[in-house]
Amino acid sequence: MSGGAAAGSRLSSRPLRVAIVGRGFTGAAAAIAIAETGVAPAELLLIDPSPDFGKGLAYGKARDGELLNVRSRDASIFPDRPDDFLNWLGVRNQTGSPSPDNLGDTFMSRATYGDYVADRAMACIAKAPLSHRFIQAQVTAVERDAEGRIAVVAGTERLSVDIVVIATGYGIFSSEARFGRAAFSSLDDADLAHGRHAVLVGTGLTMVDMLFRLRDMGISGTIDLVSRRGILPAPHTERAVTAIPFAPGAHDERPSEILHAFRRSARESVAEGQNWQGLMNGFRPIARQTWQALGTAHQNTFLRHLKPYYFSHRHRLPPASARRLRQELSREDTRLRRAAVLEVDQDVVVLKDRRTGTTQRVTADLVIDCSGHQSSAQTPLMKSLLEDGLACRPRAGAGIDVAPDGRVLAADGRPQSDLFALGPLGQGALLEITGIREIVEQSRAMAAIVAAQTRKGLDAD
């Protein structure tokens, strides 16, 4: 079955039961949205192997020096209260040093932002007219019974619920990596003592964090930064810039045509004394509809050829991080290498140079996979959804197919009103769904659907 039982069909004597799978940022955003929408009576089951709430991989494993790539003015978890993060920072800082006058332009540490999300999420749930239960377990399956009722398998329990919200970010995090060890995995004294040569596979934001982390931990030897194109994250401007509206022309149907139109607009903007970053900000609100309007072949072309360029300009470095990266690259022992990784066998990395086509075997003490988080379809949970027809793949890209409001599309293409997947799991379908703003807005859309179903059910009772 793909349609799912309506939330209002539950017995009126039992509260609406919502299972949120994942307690990182996306799970916290979902919980806040449901709490603020006033879905009552309701019971929230918050399920995750980790005991943390609101932090997840992005913020829970971050060190103080690792920064958000979003300005503080844009980081509120409440869309109707854009200054909430700034206000929270102000209260938190009352006993510390004075807040800078340009606090909105700052890039705070990810660890601090994790504290903010956790604090606000707990406060919202505590004051909402609903009950909640934290379950420390890994969800391995979502199932339907013969009547279409939905349940989650969490550890050894099978929990019957009315709504399932999958909010696991890119998927259940695994310590396994495609190349060497996973980024942000623990480094011990032996790693540091023998870390004379490190290879970081991937040159995006994750690489920047790991490069800085290794240098700060005392590794002073050679660090090779490896990716096929050698594309580095572009910098943010020092101060926030006004968004410059941009829309592809009516006849710009191919990714290459859209790119050329963007470059023309960028040159014109720079000539007029503006920044290309403002143009990218202006494209962000229509990026999703532009992506969805592309045919499958054009989406695949974008993913093969243009995605690294787009995301390097879309997900930018804080100015301080960009300056430090330039300093690192000026060192003889930090090397940017444009090469494909053919094989990693323990401490040997086989590289194929992009320009010459020659191969080289590099011996390294540390090999760390910084190639970016992936929307995994190989976890038990994702396998169960796909194999049982409760989810399907998007036309292109990774993850599962979802509607903009997060409803999961079943194998027959129908959106399900009791099964949602929020955030990066929908990147293949939506493209722009990994940022704070997009996840918060999608969570609100999900909560509005749940609230409408609840009111309908109560009226029917």
Side-chain angles (χ1 to χ4, degrees):
M1 293 185 184
S2 62
S9 66
R10 73 187 189 283
L11 296 176
S12 59
S13 59
R14 179 172 64 78
L16 178 79
R17 180 179 287 175
V18 181
I20 298 179
V21 183
R23 292 203 301 260
F25 173 81
T26 306
I32 288 172
I34 289 174
E36 289 226 314
T37 305
V39 179
E43 178 186 9
L44 284 186
L45 305 179
L46 299 144
I47 312 170
D48 196 290
S50 170
D52 292 333
F53 184 33
K55 298 185 177 182
L57 176 63
Y59 311 122
K61 292 181 177 292
R63 299 187 312 157
D64 284 342
E66 293 167 353
L67 305 179
L68 287 172
N69 65 326
V70 177
R71 296 181 194 275
S72 298
R73 68 170 75 244
D74 299 320
S76 173
I77 202 168
F78 302 100
D80 55 341
R81 284 167 271 166
D83 292 336
D84 186 71
F85 183 46
L86 297 177
N87 294 336
W88 182 88
L89 287 171
V91 172
R92 178 187 174 102
N93 200 46
Q94 282 183 354
T95 58
S97 58
S99 298
D101 293 335
N102 62 330
L103 185 61
D105 279 322
T106 60
F107 295 83
M108 299 302 297
S109 76
R110 293 210 307 270
T112 296
Y113 191 69
D115 291 341
Y116 160 73
V117 174
D119 183 53
R120 288 304 200 229
M122 286 302 303
C124 280
I125 292 174
K127 70 180 182 181
L130 50 79
S131 62
H132 67 276
R133 179 156 61 107
F134 290 102
I135 300 174
Q136 191 172 342
Q138 181 166 315
V139 172
T140 55
V142 173
E143 303 174 343
R144 286 199 190 279
D145 62 21
E147 285 73 39
R149 291 187 294 263
I150 202 164
V152 296
V153 178
T156 59
E157 289 189 89
R158 186 182 187 278
L159 304 167
S160 296
V161 296
D162 301 294
I163 305 285
V164 176
V165 180
I166 303 173
T168 55
Y170 288 91
I172 301 297
F173 174 67
S174 171
S175 59
E176 297 180 358
R178 288 171 292 173
F179 311 105
R181 67 172 67 190
F184 307 114
S185 57
S186 298
L187 297 174
D188 56 28
D189 291 339
D191 294 319
L192 301 179
H194 299 95
R196 294 179 295 272
H197 187 181
V199 174
L200 307 185
V201 182
T203 55
L205 294 174
T206 301
M207 175 279 294
V208 175
D209 283 339
M210 287 308 304
L211 171 62
F212 294 171
R213 180 176 291 198
L214 292 178
R215 291 303 190 201
D216 290 344
M217 295 177 75
I219 292 183
S220 57
T222 298
I223 299 181
D224 285 328
L225 317 176
V226 180
S227 71
R228 286 184 298 166
R229 297 178 179 86
I231 300 171
L232 298 169
H236 275 285
T237 53
E238 291 288 343
R239 293 293 181 96
V241 295
T242 302
I244 304 170
F246 169 78
H251 302 292
D252 295 330
E253 298 178 351
R254 299 173 180 270
S256 58
E257 294 169 341
I258 297 171
L259 174 62
H260 292 322
F262 184 90
R263 284 177 169 171
R264 285 195 301 271
S265 296
R267 287 193 294 269
E268 293 168 0
S269 298
V270 171
E272 295 171 358
Q274 298 173 303
N275 302 92
W276 65 260
Q277 288 92 336
L279 196 69
M280 181 61 75
N281 294 346
F283 179 64
R284 182 176 176 181
I286 65 163
R288 180 182 299 172
Q289 67 190 63
T290 303
W291 170 252
Q292 293 180 313
L294 294 175
T296 303
H298 291 329
Q299 287 187 346
N300 281 315
T301 296
F302 171 87
L303 294 174
R304 283 195 303 270
H305 301 295
L306 299 180
K307 179 182 175 181
Y309 299 95
Y310 175 76
F311 281 107
S312 70
H313 289 77
R314 165 67 180 83
H315 300 290
R316 303 188 287 273
L317 277 176
S321 299
R323 288 192 292 271
R324 180 175 177 184
L325 179 60
R326 287 195 298 271
Q327 293 172 352
E328 284 288 343
L329 290 170
S330 68
R331 299 171 50 146
E332 292 184 356
D333 54 4
T334 301
R335 304 185 300 192
L336 179 63
R337 305 185 64 161
R338 294 172 175 83
V341 179
L342 300 182
E343 182 183 358
V344 176
D345 183 9
Q346 295 183 345
D347 59 350
V348 175
V349 184
V350 181
L351 302 177
K352 181 177 181 179
D353 189 276
R354 179 175 172 83
R355 291 167 294 184
T356 66
T358 58
T359 59
Q360 180 183 2
R361 296 172 64 86
V362 176
T363 301
D365 302 296
L366 282 173
V367 181
I368 300 178
D369 185 358
C370 301
S371 59
H373 307 302
Q374 302 297 313
S375 299
S376 175
Q378 300 305 313
T379 63
L381 173 57
M382 291 298 107
K383 285 182 177 179
S384 82
L385 290 169
L386 294 166
E387 291 172 0
D388 295 343
L390 293 179
C392 60
R393 307 271 188 153
R395 288 186 289 131
I400 57 178
D401 207 357
V402 299
D405 53 29
R407 287 177 296 164
V408 175
L409 274 59
D412 61 7
R414 289 192 295 170
Q416 299 163 93
S417 60
D418 59 353
L419 178 58
F420 296 81
L422 305 182
L425 281 172
Q427 187 177 42
L430 306 176
L431 187 66
E432 280 289 353
I433 194 56
T434 63
I436 292 172
R437 180 192 308 170
E438 287 78 15
I439 292 173
V440 168
E441 290 174 350
Q442 189 184 47
S443 297
R444 291 301 172 110
M446 172 276 298
I449 292 173
V450 173
Q453 291 177 349
T454 304
R455 287 191 294 270
K456 183 179 179 181
L458 292 174
D459 291 342
D461 291 339

